């Protein structure tokens, strides 16, 4: 599912709860949410190095602990929780992640294993961040077979963004 625009004001909780109920009714084993973080809200320690983070709920942590291929095994960095005075009272720093934080909370209430993957990005064209996120997700879950030839720009992007495929290589 792709949610690219915000929900109507006052309807975010209803949307996340309805999505949680739908996921629960279909007995999903695992949910992975792709989102992003506002790069301008980074802490000093996040300015250098890997610009990619993840956060998962306790159910996912338990499930991941038994697997060989995990975000930690791939040397992904967990999302840091800021300390006072910058600490979020809800315990995370997911500024700019849209519905991801609320969806993580809703799915956690039901005990559904949920991992959110989050590159830091700036407003504007985020094509490169999107491809890198999918590439890293594929390193973990191997949803795109190697014989597919890697991750490439969708053909539809050529019409919208001419010359983009020449400017930024596929991953």
């Amino acid at each position: 599912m792709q949610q690219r625009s915000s929900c109507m004001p006052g309807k975010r909780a209803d949307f996340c709860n309805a999505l949680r109920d739908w996921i629960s009714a279909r007995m999903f084993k695992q949910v992975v949410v792709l989102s992003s973080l506002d790069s301008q809200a980074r802490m000093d320690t996040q300015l250098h190095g890997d610009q990619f983070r993840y956060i998962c709920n306790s159910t996912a942590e338990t499930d991941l602990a038994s697997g060989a291929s995990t975000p930690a095994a791939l040397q992904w960095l967990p999302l840091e929780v800021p300390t006072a005075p910058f600490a979020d009272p809800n315990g995370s720093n997911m500024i700019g992640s849209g519905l991801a934080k609320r969806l993580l909370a809703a799915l956690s209430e039901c005990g559904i294993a949920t991992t959110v993957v989050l590159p830091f990005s700036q407003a504007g064209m985020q094509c490169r961040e999107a491809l890198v996120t999918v590439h890293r997700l594929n390193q973990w879950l191997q949803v795109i077979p190697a014989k597919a030839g890697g991750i490439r720009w969708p053909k539809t992007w050529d019409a919208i963004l001419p010359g983009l495929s020449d400017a930024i290589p596929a991953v």
Side-chain angles (χ1 to χ4, degrees):
M1 181 184 108
Q2 183 179 57
Q3 173 75 23
R4 292 187 47 119
S5 60
S6 61
C7 295
M8 292 175 42
K11 298 294 182 185
R12 289 185 179 125
D14 293 341
F15 175 79
C16 287
N17 290 337
L19 184 56
R20 175 203 58 210
D21 294 344
W22 182 83
I23 290 169
S24 182
R26 280 145 187 84
M27 297 183 276
F28 281 37
K29 181 181 177 195
Q30 177 182 24
V31 174
V32 178
V33 179
L34 307 180
S35 190
S36 63
L37 296 167
D38 184 351
S39 65
Q40 295 189 9
R42 291 176 289 183
M43 296 182 290
D44 290 349
T45 57
Q46 297 169 327
L47 293 175
H48 299 286
D50 195 0
Q51 296 299 293
F52 186 85
R53 301 292 190 270
Y54 77 97
I55 186 169
C56 55
N57 61 14
S58 58
T59 307
E61 286 177 359
T62 301
D63 291 352
L64 292 173
S66 62
S69 177
T70 66
L74 294 169
Q75 299 180 338
W76 293 6
L77 298 173
L79 181 62
E80 300 89 341
V81 178
T83 56
F86 305 105
D88 180 333
N90 296 318
S92 74
N93 184 31
M94 295 175 65
I95 297 170
S97 65
L99 295 172
K101 182 176 180 177
R102 190 176 297 240
L103 188 57
L104 176 63
L107 293 169
S108 296
E109 289 173 6
C110 289
I112 298 170
T114 307
T115 302
V116 184
V117 294
L118 303 148
F120 287 105
S121 62
Q122 296 180 8
M125 189 178 359
Q126 300 167 343
C127 299
R128 180 74 179 154
E129 289 90 346
L131 283 181
V132 168
T133 300
V134 171
H135 175 72
R136 294 197 63 176
L137 179 68
N138 197 53
Q139 285 178 316
W140 172 32
L141 299 176
Q142 292 136 19
V143 291
I144 301 171
K147 66 181 180 181
I151 300 166
R152 306 229 177 263
W153 301 106
K155 289 290 183 193
T156 55
W157 288 9
D158 289 339
I160 300 168
L161 305 163
L164 182 65
S165 58
D166 297 329
I168 303 174
V171 291

